[in-house]
Every structure is written in structure tokens, then in C-alpha cells.
Amino acid sequence: MKFFIDTANLDQIKEAQDLGILDGVTTNPSLMAKEGIKGEENILNHYKTICDIVEGDVSAEVISTDYEGIIAEGEKLAALNPQIVVKVPAIKSGIKAIKYFSTKGIKTNCTLVFSPGQALLAAKAGATYVSPFIGRLDDISSDGVELIHKIVEMYNYYGYDTEVLAASIRHTMHILQCVEAGADVATCPLSAIVGLLKHPLTDSGLETFLSDYKKLNS
Ligand code: E4P
């Protein structure tokens, strides 16, 4: 399974990259706004900086909703760096744009996916990634992880190449459930990635090892 970090925060991206387990980054307009990045030039420069920090794919989301606007924005984003993946919403004009980008060899991430039908159209259009939002489904008492299971099963059955990128992950259990469901990628907050390490037996075991060593060597 690949790990992407879901943030536009450069310190967190660097920290995850330094861990040596990072495969990419996803951003969205809300995450960019959280970092106070505004104005087209600053936004494009921020994506370039992220690409310099990491080696893998970096999702950059369009804000246009009409076909021509999505194409113009996506082409500009893709020209920044070959690592850029154009993130496009799962709407009619978005699916059409994903098809266009796939014929041009531009990587795409179909975002705001909440149903198997949306994921089916994303794959048929040739999306590189599809992003089902599991946390937001859980928020409205729907089973987010179940959606990952359904999409993985459907893609395996038909042999689609689109990678299932589990998004809107809130905690470590989500990551482990996505592993069980067979997601190709999980995009997570840094806290959820580092949270995978937490175990009381690791902490108490380490404490004992270190104090026993100290007793014999002091
Ligand atoms: C990433 O691709 C998504 O935009 C992100 O995971 C959404 O997460 P949220 O539901 O916590 O905002």
C-alpha cells in the first residue's frame, strides 16, 4: 500500500518525507487555504515547492467546474512538474476532462467520490486515481470503508487500472481497514501515519530494555 500525506503544510510534508515511507501528497483548496496560500502565483509556487520536497505524485486540485476551465487549469498545473496529478471533481464536466487528460498522458485524481457509480465513470474515463472520501461518509452515518471494498471489487472484476486512493482518512483504524479492503493508496494526516506506531507494549518493553541495560552498565 502506498502512503500519501493529506496536507499542504510544508513542515508536515518534510517530516513525513524524512520518515522514508512517503509515496506522495494530496492537497485540496481547503488545505491550501489553511496554510494561507492565496493568489494564483503563490499557489503554483507552493505546488512546485511540494514537488521539490517529495519524490512521488502530488495532487493539485482545479477550482473550475466547467469543462474548458478545468482543461485550462489542469494543463497549467500539469506543466509545473511531471509529479503533478490534476485533481478533478466527480461531476459531468470533470469526467469529460479526465477523459481528455488521459488521452494527453496527464495524470488525474477523480475527487469527491461517494458512490461506486462515480468510481465506475472515473475508471472508464481513464483516471489515474479515484478518491473515495471515507471519513465524510462516516460523518453522515454511511459506511466509508464499505465503499472502498465495493470499488476495489469492481475494479478487480473489470481489470481497471485506476488506483483506489482512500481519502478523508481520520485515524489509524481507517488506514488498517483500507489495507483489508485492498486500497492501493491511503492519503492521511501525519498524525494517523505516526499513530500506527503507537503500542503500549512497545513503550513498556523499550523502557524495560533501557533500564535493564542501565543497571548492568552503570
Ligand atoms: C484528499 O484527497 C481529500 O481532499 C481529503 O482527504 C479530504 O479530507 P477531509 O474530508 O478530512 O476534508
Side-chain angles (χ1 to χ4, degrees):
M1 174 189 254
K2 287 190 267 187
F3 271 120
F4 288 0
I5 188 167
D6 194 25
T7 184
N9 181 281
L10 297 182
D11 290 335
Q12 289 190 17
I13 294 170
K14 281 181 198 148
E15 194 177 331
Q17 175 66 26
D18 284 349
L19 263 178
I21 50 83
L22 193 66
D23 300 297
V25 178
T26 52
T27 63
N28 63 38
S30 305
L31 293 171
M32 295 291 275
K34 202 169 155 194
E35 299 310 311
I37 320 292
K38 54 182 176 189
E40 194 191 354
E41 205 185 321
N42 290 332
I43 290 173
L44 296 180
N45 282 335
H46 199 75
Y47 289 136
K48 282 203 256 180
T49 307
I50 295 174
C51 290
D52 288 342
I53 299 171
V54 302
E55 281 161 24
D57 284 349
V58 174
S59 284
E61 190 159 341
V62 298
I63 46 151
S64 301
T65 54
D66 62 301
Y67 176 72
E68 288 76 17
I70 295 173
I71 298 300
E73 252 191 89
E75 286 185 329
K76 197 179 260 187
L77 289 167
L80 291 175
N81 189 301
Q83 287 166 260
I84 291 286
V85 177
V86 181
K87 207 172 173 194
V88 180
I91 54 176
K92 211 167 146 193
S93 52
I95 294 298
K96 195 173 158 191
I98 288 169
K99 180 69 193 180
Y100 169 85
F101 289 133
S102 79
T103 61
K104 297 280 168 193
I106 293 175
K107 292 178 282 186
T108 52
N109 175 354
C110 185
T111 190
L112 288 166
V113 166
F114 295 94
S115 75
Q118 291 172 320
L120 176 61
L121 291 181
K124 281 195 70 72
T128 314
Y129 299 101
V130 67
S131 286
F133 277 33
I134 65 174
R136 292 193 195 186
L137 280 170
D138 288 359
D139 289 344
I140 58 155
S141 310
S142 261
D143 190 341
V145 174
E146 182 57 25
L147 176 61
I148 303 289
H149 277 280
K150 285 183 180 164
I151 297 173
V152 168
E153 194 184 350
M154 172 172 65
Y155 283 7
N156 285 343
Y157 187 80
Y158 288 106
Y160 289 125
D161 291 332
T162 303
E163 292 189 48
V164 180
L165 194 173
S168 187
I169 283 181
R170 303 275 160 77
H171 46 71
T172 55
M173 274 313 289
H174 268 160
I175 300 178
L176 297 172
Q177 288 165 334
C178 286
V179 169
E180 264 184 54
D184 300 289
V185 192
T187 188
C188 329
L190 183 60
S191 58
I193 299 175
V194 176
L196 289 171
L197 285 170
K198 279 191 197 154
H199 201 289
L201 292 179
T202 304
D203 297 340
S204 61
L206 184 61
E207 208 179 306
T208 308
F209 286 156
L210 295 181
S211 73
D212 287 346
Y213 177 86
K214 230 176 180 177
K215 273 183 230 155
L216 282 181
N217 292 281
S218 56

